[in-house]
Amino acid sequence: MALPLAIQATLFALTIYVLLRLFDQSLRDAHFRAFAHAHACAEPPYEKNDTPYGIGQLLYILAFKVDILEDLIRRRYRRCGHTHKQYGVVGEIVHTVDPRNIQTMLSLKFNDYELGGKRGRNIIPVVGHGIFTAEGKEWESSRALLRPFFGRGMGGGLEGAEVRVGELMGVLERGMEWGGGWTKEVDLVDLFLRFSMDSTTEFLFGKSIGAQLELGGMDKHKTGSPKRKMTFSEAHEIGSAWASFRFVIPEWAWPLTALPFSPAYRRIKEATTLVSRVAGKFVKAALERRQQERWSRPSGPNMDGHRLYGGVGEKFVLVEALAAEIEDPDLLRGELLHVLLASRDTTAYLLSWCFLLLSLHPNYFTRLRASVLSHFPPDIPSLTITPSSLKACKPLSYFLHETLRLYPVAPINGRVAVRDTVLPTGGGPSGKEPVAIRKGQLVTYSVYVMHRRADIWGADADVFRPKRWEGRKIGWEYLPFNGGPRLCLGQEHALAKVGYVVVRLLQAFDEISAPVGHTREDVKKHLSVLLSPEGGVRVKLRKAAAVAGASEVEGG
């Protein structure tokens, strides 16, 4: 019996389509082989999967609580070498921890790579369009717009940080145990996330969102309603956690994370709407002020990180500055929320790793504190603690470098090739020949693994030893803030803010208890997009008595 004509036509069309795709792919393969041969490229080692598309490994990660960085990623690099291939759920991937290859991707052949569409499709529903999803000319425009306000503007003024540190101190000291001078057990991760939210929103909007004031009944604006409303900080956490989870799963599984009309969907929708609405209010007010010409058009940050509005010196506020350049409220809101997304968690997690390491190394805590007090005695005005004076305290700088080496907040990253291109090394039996990268291919790099390579950092690469930074020049083997044209705009601000908080807490507290759930031999890590201490940093801190005669200790 003959098939209906419509079905025959459909089958014929499908057959032709498949044949054309196969023919097109064969031409692409032939072109790529010729390209690789012309550039004297060789194949890197290939990691075979035990299950199709590496699904078994994904299921293993979901089913068992494993240290992904150590038990899976770093172990694979040990088996396969510093550059190798693997076929995963997103196709064939090249992995590398070779500094030359990473420099090539991020700098020397920057235009051969892009972030890939997955990042934008994931982040835009949460915070809108902005610098961290932009590519090409759009990215160049966003970066040129934001760059003048990072450094002097954002990194130069720590006055606002002191107010937020004061609130942090208040939270810690309210729980003091009677007579002993110790705080109650606190989770520093939670406290640092709140501190970072408040300091960042004050920079963005000119007003802190009050995340720290939500603790311990400090919030004067609570209504006492039996049904507590979602706060801005909670809404931001829900949205960023949803985006982080989607980053580590295949894109086809995204709809399963928030099925329409499910409780999860409604909660995520409420959270993203709240964040957008609150940011939108500040954006609307800034644009209205600009239209009414109540303040002069800014031409750039002043030397002290402040701007002049209407001839009166005021603190620097990013939304006010950007409103002079961006008239589209959606675009302006998106750029602000992208800065918030990048700043809040990274600063908080770096602080968390700093104090986890100090709690695991009490002798080093004592030595670092002595050095900090010699540079910054407790009785000096807080305004004398500046980014330049923090940099001049070498032991503090070594400590921050070593913390970021061992626990980079963004431990894994990647790029997608926009054309056939070449990495300089990793191919062939010697692992030193060039490697051809196909257009559309994902190349990942792990700074966590690179930062622990014994051939770069020595046999004690896994050991916390800040003194290794004495006299060391920083190159492409150390990338806590990325590199090349997409180097993190806020790195100077982040280091200044983190250093400031470390100094102020070491001035106030002279001892820290061992952390709950962590040991030197077993530091538990939580990996989503960013790296944070698993289970938090639950410690006690002892209030310092009067300090005198502290001697400087250079290094660790």
Side-chain angles (χ1 to χ4, degrees):
M1 180 178 176
L3 292 172
L5 185 60
I7 296 179
Q8 291 184 48
T10 301
L11 291 175
F12 178 76
L14 286 174
T15 302
I16 295 298
Y17 174 77
V18 171
L19 290 175
L20 287 174
R21 288 296 302 269
L22 290 173
F23 179 69
D24 178 68
Q25 187 61 51
S26 66
L27 288 179
R28 290 173 181 270
D29 290 344
H31 179 272
F32 182 69
R33 286 193 298 269
F35 174 85
H37 179 73
H39 290 82
C41 295
E43 283 291 299
Y46 195 94
E47 168 86 332
K48 293 184 178 179
N49 292 313
D50 297 330
T51 56
Y53 305 104
I55 292 176
Q57 187 176 87
L58 177 62
L59 294 175
Y60 178 72
I61 293 172
L62 296 174
F64 300 97
K65 201 172 183 64
V66 297
D67 186 331
I68 296 174
L69 289 171
E70 289 289 340
D71 298 338
L72 295 177
I73 296 174
R74 198 175 178 198
R75 186 176 294 175
R76 188 187 67 239
Y77 275 105
R78 289 194 183 108
R79 288 195 308 268
C80 303
H82 301 320
T83 301
H84 58 272
K85 281 185 178 181
Q86 182 188 38
Y87 203 88
V89 293
V90 295
E92 189 178 69
I93 306 170
V94 174
H95 304 287
T96 188
V97 289
D98 190 294
R100 287 181 60 198
N101 286 342
I102 297 172
Q103 181 185 19
T104 298
M105 281 193 296
L106 302 186
S107 181
L108 300 179
K109 293 187 177 181
F110 174 79
N111 292 325
D112 285 359
Y113 297 89
E114 64 180 12
L115 299 175
K118 181 178 180 180
R119 176 186 286 200
R121 292 189 293 273
N122 186 18
I123 293 180
I124 289 172
V126 178
V127 292
H129 293 269
I131 188 170
F132 295 109
T133 57
E135 302 276 14
K137 295 296 183 182
E138 182 185 350
W139 168 77
E140 291 177 8
S141 176
S142 287
R143 189 168 178 93
L145 183 67
L146 289 171
R147 176 182 287 172
F149 309 123
F150 287 78
R152 290 175 182 173
M154 192 171 184
L158 291 171
E159 300 90 341
E162 175 57 28
V163 177
R164 305 306 151 209
V165 170
E167 293 172 351
L168 174 62
M169 296 285 194
V171 173
L172 289 169
E173 293 176 1
R174 275 201 316 278
M176 286 287 187
E177 295 177 352
W178 184 82
W182 287 87
T183 69
K184 65 180 180 181
E185 183 182 289
V186 294
D187 178 9
L188 290 180
V189 174
D190 177 62
L191 296 187
F192 289 147
L193 283 169
R194 292 173 180 274
F195 161 81
S196 188
M197 172 64 80
D198 286 348
S199 59
T200 303
T201 51
E202 183 167 21
F203 164 73
L204 295 177
F205 307 135
K207 179 181 179 182
S208 163
I209 215 69
Q212 294 185 106
L213 300 182
E214 296 167 6
L215 295 172
M218 291 179 67
D219 189 353
K220 299 177 182 179
H221 304 291
K222 283 189 175 180
T223 61
S225 171
K227 185 178 180 181
R228 190 175 67 84
K229 294 182 178 180
M230 183 185 294
T231 65
F232 181 89
S233 56
E234 289 171 339
H236 179 270
E237 177 65 29
I238 291 168
S240 61
W242 181 53
S244 295
F245 179 65
R246 298 204 306 173
F247 258 122
V248 299
I249 64 174
E251 204 165 340
W252 54 261
W254 286 3
L256 302 177
T257 64
L259 295 172
F261 309 112
S262 67
Y265 176 84
R266 290 194 296 269
R267 186 165 174 78
I268 291 168
K269 185 69 174 177
E270 179 186 1
T272 55
T273 301
L274 174 60
V275 169
S276 179
R277 185 176 70 248
V278 172
K281 289 180 180 178
F282 291 105
V283 166
K284 181 181 179 182
L287 290 174
E288 287 177 349
R289 282 191 292 272
R290 176 179 179 272
Q291 291 168 357
Q292 295 167 4
E293 297 182 348
R294 291 180 179 175
W295 44 273
S296 62
R297 182 183 180 89
S299 58
N302 291 336
M303 292 298 292
D304 63 353
H306 289 69
R307 253 176 214 286
L308 292 177
Y309 299 122
V312 180
E314 297 180 357
K315 68 181 180 182
F316 179 85
V317 179
L318 186 60
V319 66
E320 303 284 359
L322 290 183
E325 310 292 339
I326 303 175
E327 295 183 357
D328 184 338
D330 292 334
L331 180 58
L332 177 52
R333 183 181 64 241
E335 294 290 9
L336 293 168
L337 291 179
H338 275 236
V339 174
L340 176 61
L341 186 68
S343 301
R344 180 252 194 179
D345 289 2
T346 51
T347 301
Y349 291 156
L350 175 53
L351 277 167
S352 300
W353 285 116
C354 284
F355 279 88
L356 178 58
L357 286 170
L358 290 175
S359 67
L360 291 170
H361 299 84
N363 291 335
Y364 178 77
F365 174 95
T366 301
R367 298 199 303 273
L368 178 64
R369 182 172 185 271
S371 184
V372 164
L373 293 182
S374 72
H375 283 81
F376 308 103
D379 56 349
I380 66 169
S382 60
L383 290 178
T384 63
I385 306 175
T386 64
S388 58
S389 66
L390 290 167
K391 278 186 177 181
C393 182
K394 294 300 182 183
L396 179 62
S397 294
Y398 299 158
F399 169 60
L400 295 180
H401 285 326
E402 185 72 347
T403 301
L404 283 165
R405 184 186 72 83
L406 287 172
Y407 301 103
V409 177
I412 305 170
N413 215 321
R415 295 290 186 269
V416 176
V418 298
R419 58 180 61 87
D420 293 344
T421 186
V422 175
L423 293 178
T425 187
S430 67
K432 296 181 180 180
E433 298 178 59
V435 175
I437 302 298
R438 186 190 298 265
K439 178 182 178 180
Q441 190 162 47
L442 172 64
V443 183
T444 76
Y445 57 98
S446 172
V447 294
Y448 176 89
V449 176
M450 182 172 68
H451 286 181
R452 291 171 179 254
R453 281 181 52 175
D455 59 321
I456 294 175
W457 300 95
D460 65 347
D462 287 319
V463 176
F464 173 70
R465 188 170 66 84
K467 201 169 185 177
R468 75 174 76 244
W469 291 94
E470 288 184 352
R472 187 180 185 102
K473 293 184 178 179
I474 296 176
W476 281 88
E477 73 281 357
Y478 177 70
L479 289 180
F481 295 101
N482 225 328
R486 279 191 179 264
L487 176 72
C488 175
L489 282 173
Q491 67 164 328
E492 293 299 324
H493 165 66
L495 290 173
K497 186 190 289 188
V498 169
Y500 185 85
V501 175
V502 170
V503 167
R504 294 289 287 113
L505 290 182
L506 290 183
Q507 287 175 333
F509 300 98
D510 62 8
E511 192 172 345
I512 186 170
S513 69
V516 176
H518 300 275
T519 65
R520 289 192 192 183
E521 297 74 25
D522 185 20
V523 175
K524 293 181 170 58
K525 302 180 284 292
H526 174 72
L527 176 64
S528 54
V529 176
L530 303 178
L531 183 64
S532 61
E534 176 73 36
V537 179
R538 291 155 51 205
V539 295
K540 295 181 180 181
L541 296 155
R542 189 177 71 178
K543 185 72 174 176
V547 179
S551 60
E552 180 176 350
V553 177
E554 294 293 342

